[in-house]
Amino acid sequence: MGGHLPATVAAARNAVRAAVPRGSFVLVACSGGADSLALAAATAFLAGKGELRAGAVVVDHALQEDSAAVAAQAAGQVRALGLSPVLVKAPDVGGAGSEAEARAARYAAFEEALEETGADHVLLGHTLDDQAEQVLLGLARGSGTRSLAGIPAARGPYLRPFLGLRRAQTEAVCAHEALDYWTDPTNLERGPLRNRVRLDVLPVLEAALGPGVAEALARTATLARADADHLDRLARDALGDLLLPVAAPGCLALDLAGLRALGPALRGRVLRAAVVRLGGENPTLERIEAAERLVDGAGSAGPVQLAGHVAAYRERPDGPHGPARRALVLEGTAPEGRTGDRETER
């Protein structure tokens, strides 16, 4: 198209340019919605300039009657933009399928697409609005700094270039590029909590506090993620310092005195890191508090059941480490090395 380039289109292209390493081979995850189609258009423009190589992956969850037609239309539009290869995946979600099941199937399809094509990254179309919703959900759960950190801009092969753009901007990009985007009717249902946050909570906050609430929540996520990442690095270092030798496989022993000396911001993170190292999922706050009571010597010596088939107990004074190096022992039945710290934001 000739004429003046709209600022929204330039912003979308620059967002992809900033997020994707030059020369990368990427796949745009495209649902047919405005966000992912706008991402496909911006990425295709950069591919046309030789800045990167780009294909796409379209996932049909088959959870709605017209899902196959939506997937076919999305695939056709991204092919017309010049993306290649374009893979259409139809994973088996199983019956009605929950949001979590659909998400797991979607990421499994992305992993397959990465393996089949040899692509470096999958680009996801989450926007600043998604980020604001995620922060509000984290506040509602009371889950701490990591939950307030929201959706990561990059994790593993997954990149989210549009976390600084609003949904209205992606719709404007689609209008400029003459792309016919699909609106998922389930996004208008008020049953799911995320939808109520989007449709009811954020508009009320904007009306009461004035414009800019979503941007402020997104800034909160950026700051919280930096803090959480730093504390998690300190916790991993502390865990390494506190480990005691153990003879049994699938066990970790942590120096009890050293654990007690840690500040509260680190101690819970060290315990979480230990559980994850044994193959468990991140424990809830309730389970971590129970483990911390073990550390403090309150109540029984355990065991306390933590997430992912991991249990913790205080070693007796006459245990293998002796009274001078009493230990908190964690035993896991999950396979060693399996990580529970998988991407859970969206």
Side-chain angles (χ1 to χ4, degrees), residues 22-299:
R22 189 178 181 89
S24 296
F25 174 22
V26 302
L27 298 175
V28 179
C30 188
S31 66
D35 300 340
S36 60
L37 278 175
L39 180 59
T43 305
F45 174 81
L46 298 183
K49 293 288 186 180
E51 297 184 30
L52 48 81
R53 180 185 168 200
V57 54
V58 179
V59 179
D60 173 15
H61 293 301
L63 296 178
Q64 298 175 10
E65 287 185 7
D66 59 348
S67 66
V70 170
Q73 181 177 355
Q77 291 198 90
V78 296
R79 287 191 183 102
L81 287 169
L83 298 187
S84 179
V86 176
L87 286 69
V88 178
K89 297 284 186 180
D92 183 9
V93 180
S98 67
E99 182 180 350
E101 289 169 334
R103 184 187 179 283
R106 185 163 61 251
Y107 276 85
F110 295 159
E111 295 288 341
E112 285 182 6
L114 285 168
E115 185 173 351
E116 289 174 18
T117 62
D120 303 304
H121 302 285
V122 171
L123 307 189
L124 304 173
H126 298 106
T127 64
L128 187 147
D129 296 78
D130 295 308
Q131 187 70 292
E133 293 160 14
Q134 191 70 25
V135 173
L136 284 175
L137 289 168
L139 283 169
R141 287 193 297 265
S143 304
T145 309
R146 176 55 67 189
S147 186
L148 295 182
I151 307 168
R155 176 176 285 176
Y158 300 103
L159 304 178
R160 297 179 174 90
F162 278 5
L163 285 179
L165 272 64
R166 299 297 303 265
R167 282 201 186 99
Q169 291 176 282
T170 66
E171 292 173 0
V173 170
C174 288
H176 179 268
E177 302 286 353
L179 294 170
D180 185 14
Y181 62 86
W182 174 68
T183 300
D184 186 346
T186 63
N187 288 339
L188 303 177
E189 298 172 358
R190 282 180 161 79
L193 179 58
R194 180 177 292 278
N195 287 4
R196 298 199 298 275
V197 168
R198 177 187 305 121
L199 299 172
D200 300 325
V201 177
L202 270 171
V204 167
L205 289 176
E206 291 275 1
L209 302 177
V213 170
E215 287 82 358
L217 289 167
R219 287 195 300 274
T220 296
T222 300
L223 296 170
R225 182 165 293 277
D227 290 348
D229 288 347
H230 179 64
L231 288 168
D232 285 347
R233 283 192 295 271
L234 293 177
R236 287 192 294 269
D237 291 343
L239 175 61
D241 293 338
L242 293 171
L243 286 175
L244 299 173
V246 291
C251 284
L252 293 177
L254 308 182
D255 180 65
L256 202 53
L259 269 176
R260 288 171 177 165
L262 292 177
L266 277 184
R267 189 162 66 175
R269 282 179 165 82
V270 167
L271 293 170
R272 283 191 175 91
V275 171
V276 168
R277 181 174 292 198
L278 285 172
E281 298 175 358
N282 279 315
T284 64
L285 177 62
E286 177 189 20
R287 295 292 85 204
I288 287 296
E289 287 175 342
E292 294 211 58
R293 286 193 290 273
L294 276 180
V295 173
D296 290 332

